[in-house]
Amino acid sequence: MSYPPPPRTPSGPRRRSLFASAAGAALLTGCTDGARKAEESASGSQSVTRRARARAARDSAGMVGRYDAVIAAHPQVAARLGPLRAEVVRHAEAFGGTGAQGGSASPSASASPSASGAVSTTPASEKDALAELAAAERALSDRRVAALPDVPGELARLLASVAAAGAAHAYLLTEGAR
């Protein structure tokens, strides 16, 4: 059985083809301009990346200080907090920091830097100290997620990964306090 020929064979390009080629030309022009603008702003992007990495490293080092303060004030949680603290040290190192905040904490240390850089006292209660540490992890994770649109690809992926780890730490700290 043979199929009948199409009812009408179009002569020349169809309207859809013309619209598609016009849209494609506009898109190519836009991409070229965008690439040029990206090249021109590459140096600005590098400074944004440097600043974002430095801040992330400082924030992680500050979180290490918080862990140290809680461990110093409540040594009985050292085994539980040790792996989480080690992760935070690795986060600081991933951002180019050292992971240490002026050395190791002494057993008498009971103050920790807050998100604003001010020093706050570690709560006397273990449960309150863990809740405060969880809140700090959660707040830092939220700040990192909020910064994602402002940083370029690879750093955004690293920031998102570390933010997810921080959220997991907050969860583990909260669940363990129950």
Side-chain angles (χ1 to χ4, degrees), residues 74-153:
H74 304 284
Q76 64 277 16
V77 298
R80 181 170 156 217
L81 295 183
L84 299 177
R85 182 194 178 279
E87 276 292 310
V88 176
V89 169
R90 283 192 290 276
H91 296 162
E93 291 168 351
F95 290 119
T98 61
Q101 187 175 6
S104 61
S106 65
S108 62
S110 65
S112 62
S114 68
S116 64
V119 174
S120 64
T121 305
T122 302
S125 154
E126 177 185 321
K127 185 175 182 177
D128 290 343
L130 293 176
E132 188 177 275
L133 191 57
E137 281 275 19
R138 198 173 302 108
L140 181 54
S141 177
D142 290 346
R143 278 198 318 273
R144 286 178 169 163
V145 168
L148 290 177
D150 301 329
V151 295

Side-chain angles (χ1 to χ4, degrees), residues 21-178:
S21 59
L27 185 61
L28 286 175
T29 303
C31 288
T32 304
D33 290 343
R36 192 174 309 125
K37 287 177 185 175
E39 287 174 12
E40 291 169 359
S41 69
S43 63
S45 174
Q46 289 173 352
S47 67
V48 167
T49 301
R50 249 190 321 274
R51 283 192 311 267
R53 276 185 173 279
R55 177 177 177 143
R58 273 192 319 272
D59 288 346
S60 290
M63 190 59 65
V64 170
R66 286 178 165 274
Y67 275 92
D68 288 345
V70 171
I71 291 169
H74 304 284
Q76 64 277 16
V77 298
R80 181 170 156 217
L81 295 183
L84 299 177
R85 182 194 178 279
E87 276 292 310
V88 176
V89 169
R90 283 192 290 276
H91 296 162
E93 291 168 351
F95 290 119
T98 61
Q101 187 175 6
S104 61
S106 65
S108 62
S110 65
S112 62
S114 68
S116 64
V119 174
S120 64
T121 305
T122 302
S125 154
E126 177 185 321
K127 185 175 182 177
D128 290 343
L130 293 176
E132 188 177 275
L133 191 57
E137 281 275 19
R138 198 173 302 108
L140 181 54
S141 177
D142 290 346
R143 278 198 318 273
R144 286 178 169 163
V145 168
L148 290 177
D150 301 329
V151 295
E154 196 59 36
L155 180 57
R157 284 186 281 279
L158 177 59
L159 213 53
S161 176
V162 172
H169 291 182
Y171 173 79
L172 292 171
L173 290 165
T174 303
E175 286 302 305
R178 291 184 184 188

Side-chain angles (χ1 to χ4, degrees), residues 8-36:
R8 183 181 113 179
T9 308
S11 60
R14 292 183 168 187
R15 272 188 294 178
R16 286 185 195 155
S17 299
L18 290 174
F19 286 132
S21 59
L27 185 61
L28 286 175
T29 303
C31 288
T32 304
D33 290 343
R36 192 174 309 125

